[in-house]
Amino acid sequence: MRTVGERLVEGLAARGVKVVFGIPGVHTVELYRGLSESPVRHVTARHEQGCAFMADGYARASGQPGVAFVITGPGITNALTAMAQSRQDSVPVLVISGVNRRDSLGRGLGRLHELPDQAAMVRALCPTRQITAPEDVGPVLDWAWALLTTGRPGPVHIEVPTDVMPLPCPPLAPPAALAEQPVPGADALARAAELLNRAARPVILVGGGARGQQAALQALAEKLDAPVIQTTNARGMMHGHPLTVPASPSLAVVRDLITGADQVLAIGTELGQTDYDMYADGGLPDLSSMIRIDRDGAQLGRWTTALALLGDAGATMAALLPLLTPHAAQGAPRAEDTRHRARAVLGELSPTMPGQLDMVEAIRAALPGCQIIGDSTQPIYAGNLYYDHDRPGGWFNAATGYGALGFGPGAAVGAAMARPDLKTVCLVGDGGLQFSPGELRTAVDERLPITFLVWNNAAFREIAEAMRGANTEVIGCHPSPLRLEPFAAACDLPFTSVPQDPDVLHWALSQPQDGPRLIEIRVTL
């Protein structure tokens, strides 16, 4: 009879899991026994934080839960930072870890990798359950999948004691049927349609909760003739469309568009500070009269609204669409004016931002339809303020929500594993690269078509500028950067160094690529 560890892997495969990201340890041997005869592929990271970042990137690029295997103790504590990023950005990630044998838990016996209460530590961040007996395996996986695929997604943790993992386990029952995505009732939909039909100047706010629903969003926007303001995690959903506003609602000119609306429709967005008030100036317009669509009831209760619709973004937009009357064409000029003013204002925020955006746009021009996965670095900050990507779901980064530095390399590996048919770009600063340099070797091992594009300004430049702006002495912001050419050689990566020039960057990105590569952008003031 197969063991608990083997059945766990079997249960993951039955739920459609194709890849897990992990680092094996003595506490997870039985999971790896399960992998040996499984269709599930294992990708070895270089750090447990990287495992969970890879699972995050995989989930965002594939639309399916990402899965990571880590050991008890330091394995799970290393993964917690990445899990927090997934929580803030509503990304479905399952982390399966070991935990010490049941009769030792909480007793302070000095066991290897011991924690006082591992489950309690994780529970402060996300849901967690322990498999305490073989008969728990199937029900716990069903519980995890329900959380990962319904309501507001995020990280979920399962821990398996070392004395339970090798126990004989009978065959699992088939996975439980997943719940239907919620749709608001007919009365609520009719009320929403009434409010929208009588609006002369509607505006749509759309966030990451609408990812994958670009056709429904475009149809809705066109029928309402409503400009669509996209948060960072929604970029690319309406690339190049006359109604699109790929600019942050933290910008005053975008807020002006919201203020001038007589009806705001917010879809799949938590209205979080890093998108709507990143400068913490409190200038976000009053949204108390908005209509809000979200599949998380708790999230709906956090804002005053005229109407809250509990439902899946795509299903709710599809149900709402036939109830709407076509609006007169005036939204496109309003959107165009906002786009023009938003781009112009970036130079007022920082004189370097337009040049940084030119570099981001050079990536899109050289590699159309690619995935751009960002770390916390200056051109990513600029792009989050204003950038229209050409692939839905193809622009995401850690410079929103939790803001974990070092996200980019691991997340790019996960995204490339999910979409090996696409070119993937990891845009990371020289400082962020030093948080997770080992994940470049994983890209080499897997021969992934990733361009690691390093924005090398030899500093934590954004932090240094914030210190100067606060009239504070700049301290700790100039760690010595890696010498990138020998570093690339050590990683067996082709290397190119270019100045901050969009034409030269376009040329470098257009060169033939076979597997991963590293391109340095030398930044000068």
Side-chain angles (χ1 to χ4, degrees), residues 179-503:
E180 294 289 329
Q181 297 292 5
V183 180
D187 290 346
L189 288 168
R191 175 59 178 157
E194 178 188 358
L195 292 172
L196 290 166
N197 284 335
R198 71 186 189 201
R201 300 177 310 282
V203 165
I204 296 173
L205 309 177
V206 63
R211 280 178 300 204
Q213 304 299 328
Q214 51 271 11
L217 175 64
Q218 182 172 322
L220 187 72
E222 289 174 348
K223 200 160 191 182
L224 292 172
D225 194 51
V228 179
I229 299 167
Q230 300 161 47
T231 69
T232 296
N233 285 324
R235 295 291 170 82
M237 292 187 68
M238 289 179 60
H239 172 67
H241 194 283
L243 290 170
T244 199
V245 181
S248 170
S250 294
L251 298 175
V253 294
V254 182
R255 290 172 169 181
D256 289 344
L257 179 62
I258 299 171
T259 300
D262 57 0
Q263 184 62 66
V264 172
L265 173 61
I267 306 171
T269 174
E270 68 173 353
L271 305 167
Q273 182 186 22
T274 53
D275 273 309
Y276 289 85
D277 193 18
M278 69 176 295
Y279 297 107
D281 59 15
L284 183 65
D286 179 13
L287 296 175
S288 59
S289 62
M290 68 178 162
I291 302 167
R292 193 171 181 206
I293 299 171
D294 204 287
R295 64 183 191 176
D296 179 10
Q299 182 60 236
L300 286 174
R302 294 190 179 110
W303 283 76
T304 300
T305 62
L307 182 62
L309 301 178
L310 178 63
D312 172 76
T316 303
M317 285 190 285
L320 189 58
L321 194 61
L323 305 179
L324 300 175
T325 55
H327 281 49
Q330 61 169 329
R334 291 158 58 214
E336 182 181 15
D337 177 65
T338 303
R339 290 195 302 270
H340 176 75
R341 293 169 62 210
R343 177 66 190 244
V345 82
L346 294 182
E348 300 173 17
L349 294 174
S350 167
T352 61
M353 277 190 176
Q356 293 162 6
L357 279 182
D358 289 343
M359 299 296 281
V360 175
E361 288 165 358
I363 301 171
R364 183 187 62 211
L367 302 174
C370 73
Q371 306 180 103
I372 302 179
I373 289 80
D375 211 82
S376 292
T377 191
Q378 287 184 309
I380 291 295
Y381 302 143
N384 285 350
L385 285 173
Y386 186 99
Y387 173 65
D388 188 12
H389 196 53
D390 62 353
R391 170 170 292 279
W395 170 270
F396 61 85
N397 54 76
T400 62
Y402 198 59
L405 204 59
F407 168 87
V413 168
M417 290 295 304
R419 294 300 308 269
D421 55 316
L422 301 179
K423 296 287 188 180
T424 298
V425 174
C426 171
L427 183 49
V428 61
D430 60 287
L433 177 63
Q434 293 188 69
F435 273 60
S436 49
E439 309 316 337
L440 277 66
R441 285 299 310 181
T442 302
V444 171
D445 289 349
E446 300 295 331
R447 296 201 56 78
L448 298 172
I450 302 174
T451 299
F452 293 97
L453 193 57
V454 182
W455 183 262
N456 190 358
N457 56 26
F460 295 138
R461 184 67 57 81
E462 196 74 14
I463 307 304
E465 290 180 1
M467 286 181 167
R468 291 188 190 99
N471 197 28
T472 300
E473 181 184 357
V474 176
I475 297 173
C477 291
H478 293 85
S480 59
L482 294 169
R483 291 189 295 119
L484 290 175
E485 185 168 9
F487 171 72
C491 292
D492 297 320
L493 289 169
F495 175 75
T496 306
S497 182
V498 300
Q500 187 184 336
D501 181 312
D503 292 334

Side-chain angles (χ1 to χ4, degrees), residues 40-58:
V40 177
R41 181 177 178 182
H42 182 268
V43 174
T44 303
R46 300 305 194 266
H47 190 284
E48 288 92 356
Q49 181 173 276
C51 294
F53 279 147
M54 290 176 189
D56 179 297
Y58 184 93

Side-chain angles (χ1 to χ4, degrees), residues 20-21 49-62 64-68 86 91-95 410-411 413-415:
V20 299
F21 304 92
Q49 181 173 276
C51 294
F53 279 147
M54 290 176 189
D56 179 297
Y58 184 93
R60 297 192 203 217
S62 69
Q64 302 299 316
V67 181
S86 300
V91 180
V93 169
L94 174 63
V95 176
V413 168

